[in-house]
Amino acid sequence: MFRLHLFTALLLCSSSAPNRWSDSQLQSVGDVNSLEEKLFQLQRKLQLSQDGDDPCAFSSAAKNGSDAGLKMFDASGKPGSNLLALEGAGVWQWLGDYDECQAIGQEMAHYCMFQGAYGAILPQYTLPVLKKLVFVPGLRWGLCVPRQCTAKALSAKVVATIKEVIYFNSSLVETVCEPSDVQFSSFAIVVIVLCCIIGFLVLLATVFEYSQDCVKNILCQLKPMEETNCQKSTKSREDSTLLPSDSSSKQKQSSGLCLELLLSFSLVQNVPKLLDTARSAKNISCLHGIRTLSMMWVILGHCYFWFEVFQNVANIEAAYDHIHQFAFQPIANAFFSVDSFFFLSGLLVTYLSLQQMERSANCLFWIKFYVHRFWRLTPTYAVALLIYWQLMPYFVDGPLWMGMYDNKQCDHYWWTNLLYINNFYPKYSDMCMGWSWFLAADTQMYVLSPIVIIPAFFLGLSGLIPLVCLLIAVLITIAVIVSVKEFPANILSFTRSISGGSSVDYQNMVYVKFYTRAAPYLVGMAVGYYLARRDPLRQRLFRVWTVGGWLLAAGLGVTIVYGLYDYNNGHHYSQGASSLYLTFSSCLWGVCLAWVVYACTSGSGGIINNILSWSGWFPLSRLTYSAYLLHPVVLFVYVGSMRQTVYVDNFHMAFMFVAITGISYASAAILSLCVEYPMAAIEKAVLKRIQF
């Protein structure tokens, strides 16, 4: 304790005469000094016990002159600075040195992580500087203990010692100890074998088609007279002479189908599809830019969100203060990026369905409508789910990882993901792949979309009455829920002022339910109807209307994204204003995007259309689905692999965002080329033969 007293003396002596410490300030400094002494006393009492019967005492590892006990003490976490800055905002984190503990040897020691919840101060605790606290921060304490010390024994010892020494009644969350030998489970081995099979199919198909193309090129060079046949090799695989003609025998048709299914995995076919930047009159080019930028917005928000949720931050007080910065508001309100995807989904399902119904609107069309959706999403989704559930636990280790990842939710509820009902059951906190709620909500809206599409196809504008009624019903539902529950306007912002209970209630009752998230989806359906029925000769607006539309959309978007700036800085709104914001903000965000799409498709987009329609977005846009599935896995691995907490600032987060985005899209490219694109090609090959 000499260094504590020395530091206190130097601190007090450093003040000049005109700026002396007041009596209350001196008392506070003494209180902090006393708190630090108690924390070091806690460490000594816990780790330097001489009780020979205590399996968690370091002395039990110091037999025969071994220095293992000393190394355990050195590797265990110790109290640090920033003790008072965590009031109600985070946890005391004494992580120690995970790798030093591992180096002692698995037969001698193992690393355990004690995690205590916020604890009430007991009456014996009398430090005036902390009397204003009702609760002290939680505790995350990394301890390197003898191998025979179990998690249960360590939990009991830590809780009892905390209560005895520093008078904090800490309630236990859990204590997790590093297993002695990490082995792959039988299910994980099955997943690895599945990934190897997929990789083998990709390699086999690629080598086969590449060698086939090489042979064709050689034959074309040897027989230049067959120029026509050489040109045919550049056509799509479905037009290739390798496939059977209508007059082929059943055996040849079967072999042709098998070959086409195999070649669906070929990188020779799929890489050009992914990287294709050609424009088509049927495509709405600006959607590529909106989709890609929205995905990056999601990743940016999650970069901050991951640190907030798992609290791997040393300067948690400063991290929470970001919410007060004007420039931080787009990150605090990154949730609107999800509304962008709902808008795009509604637009595309209506636009494409109405075009296809012009050619065929029979019962087979609606069977294909649902089969296509399930086949389009589920295989890629299932592979990502298996990677997260079965393989991610083996990707990384470390002190933060031990309390971060728990796949018990997937053990019990994985099936709800594949049935797309996980936004209803289980509750949000028990959901497997928590971010997959979007797929469930979006799929549920897709299933119900014919309620709007069919009347719109047969009745024209009057057929949009169901859409208007549904939109009104959604807004009323949101208004009732948020008003009755009295949710604040910044319920999901990066702020510590929101109670955990109300945030969880909002997530379960509003945030993940399709009937409260459908407003931008319905707005997108209205835009999709317009694009499918528009008259190309009568769509360009007068310049004054164009300028007015852009000013209105920009003002509305800025108001939605930055509208909570004053609220986040202490100027709280009334419950009526909060309910109004929560009810209409998502819908109005969809209206803003509706104007952007309308302007870009009607020749009024200007430089905005040039940016959003840039061909460089096209490949990234095609990777959006896989990037959405995998970027949280990348974040889990990155944050969980840290050995110590980090100091979060905007520069650090900018570098992190670029790295996470790059790795996420690289991973997404692998998943898309190995699963998503092959499954799409298989669907096309099969449906073509059954004449859907």
Side-chain angles (χ1 to χ4, degrees), residues 197-213:
I197 292 174
I198 294 174
F200 175 75
L201 289 175
V202 172
L203 179 63
L204 178 63
T206 303
V207 171
F208 178 82
E209 184 166 15
Y210 180 76
S211 61
Q212 185 183 68
D213 290 344

Side-chain angles (χ1 to χ4, degrees), residues 349 366 369-370 445-456 525:
V349 70
W366 293 110
F369 179 82
Y370 290 112
M445 297 179 201
Y446 183 92
V447 170
L448 298 175
S449 63
I451 296 175
V452 172
I453 295 174
I454 294 176
M525 295 187 77

Side-chain angles (χ1 to χ4, degrees), residues 209-219:
E209 184 166 15
Y210 180 76
S211 61
Q212 185 183 68
D213 290 344
C214 289
V215 171
K216 281 187 177 181
N217 291 334
I218 293 174
L219 292 177

Side-chain angles (χ1 to χ4, degrees), residues 138-260:
L139 175 61
R140 185 183 291 172
W141 195 356
L143 294 165
C144 186
V145 296
R147 171 59 62 181
Q148 66 270 20
C149 179
T150 64
K152 183 177 180 180
L154 184 61
S155 297
K157 184 175 182 179
V158 173
V159 171
T161 307
I162 288 176
K163 185 174 182 179
E164 175 185 354
V165 176
I166 56 176
Y167 312 130
F168 292 169
N169 190 17
S170 178
S171 59
L172 173 67
V173 175
E174 64 176 340
T175 296
V176 183
C177 293
E178 186 75 9
S180 57
D181 187 18
V182 179
Q183 295 182 344
F184 287 100
S185 66
S186 56
F187 204 169
I189 294 174
V190 171
V191 176
I192 293 174
V193 172
L194 174 63
C195 293
C196 291
I197 292 174
I198 294 174
F200 175 75
L201 289 175
V202 172
L203 179 63
L204 178 63
T206 303
V207 171
F208 178 82
E209 184 166 15
Y210 180 76
S211 61
Q212 185 183 68
D213 290 344
C214 289
V215 171
K216 281 187 177 181
N217 291 334
I218 293 174
L219 292 177
C220 287
Q221 293 177 0
L222 294 177
K223 299 179 180 181
M225 296 298 293
E226 300 181 1
E227 181 179 354
T228 302
N229 292 333
C230 294
Q231 292 175 349
K232 288 183 179 180
S233 64
T234 62
K235 294 184 178 181
S236 63
R237 181 57 52 189
E238 61 187 52
D239 296 329
S240 173
T241 56
L242 283 173
L243 299 180
S245 63
D246 294 336
S247 61
S248 299
S249 65
K250 292 183 178 180
Q251 181 178 3
K252 288 186 177 181
Q253 289 177 358
S254 176
S255 63
L257 176 61
C258 293
L259 180 60
E260 189 170 1

Side-chain angles (χ1 to χ4, degrees), residues 509-655:
M509 299 176 67
V510 178
Y511 189 69
V512 302
K513 297 298 189 290
F514 80 91
Y515 52 78
T516 53
R517 300 306 302 266
Y521 193 95
L522 293 170
V523 173
M525 295 187 77
V527 177
Y529 171 83
Y530 161 76
L531 293 177
R533 294 287 187 260
R534 63 181 174 176
D535 181 359
L537 300 179
R538 298 181 58 190
Q539 57 181 331
R540 193 178 182 92
L541 293 175
F542 291 112
R543 185 176 184 84
V544 62
W545 289 106
T546 299
V547 173
W550 276 113
L551 290 176
L552 181 61
L556 191 59
V558 169
T559 300
I560 293 170
V561 174
Y562 291 90
L564 296 182
Y565 174 71
D566 288 338
Y567 193 108
N568 292 328
N569 281 277
H571 301 87
H572 289 180
Y573 305 152
S574 66
Q575 185 55 51
S578 294
S579 298
L580 196 66
Y581 179 86
L582 292 174
T583 300
F584 290 99
S585 56
S586 293
C587 179
L588 294 178
W589 181 255
V591 172
C592 294
L593 293 178
W595 168 260
V596 173
V597 173
Y598 170 79
C600 291
T601 56
S602 63
S604 304
I607 189 173
I608 302 298
N609 182 50
N610 294 336
I611 294 173
L612 295 178
S613 301
W614 176 51
S615 59
W617 298 127
F618 292 10
L620 295 177
S621 174
R622 298 186 184 104
L623 294 175
T624 297
Y625 179 50
S626 294
Y628 153 76
L629 290 172
L630 291 182
H631 81 273
V633 176
V634 176
L635 275 167
F636 267 115
V637 172
Y638 172 74
V639 177
S641 64
M642 293 179 176
R643 270 24 185 183
Q644 296 291 335
T645 56
V646 298
Y647 282 84
V648 172
D649 58 38
N650 290 330
F651 285 104
H652 172 266
M653 298 306 296
F655 283 106

Side-chain angles (χ1 to χ4, degrees), residues 82 84-90 304 308 313-329 331-332 493-497 564-565 567-570 648-650:
N82 210 31
L84 302 183
L86 301 180
E87 175 188 344
Y304 282 88
E308 181 199 28
V313 182
N315 59 331
I316 189 70
E317 186 84 3
Y320 276 114
D321 283 342
H322 285 149
I323 193 67
H324 303 304
Q325 300 174 9
F326 185 79
F328 189 78
Q329 301 310 302
I331 301 174
S493 297
F494 295 85
T495 176
R496 57 191 169 175
S497 62
L564 296 182
Y565 174 71
Y567 193 108
N568 292 328
N569 281 277
V648 172
D649 58 38
N650 290 330

Side-chain angles (χ1 to χ4, degrees), residues 449-470 525 529:
S449 63
I451 296 175
V452 172
I453 295 174
I454 294 176
F457 177 76
F458 289 104
L459 302 177
L461 274 177
S462 60
L464 295 181
I465 294 176
L467 185 150
V468 176
C469 294
L470 288 173
M525 295 187 77
Y529 171 83

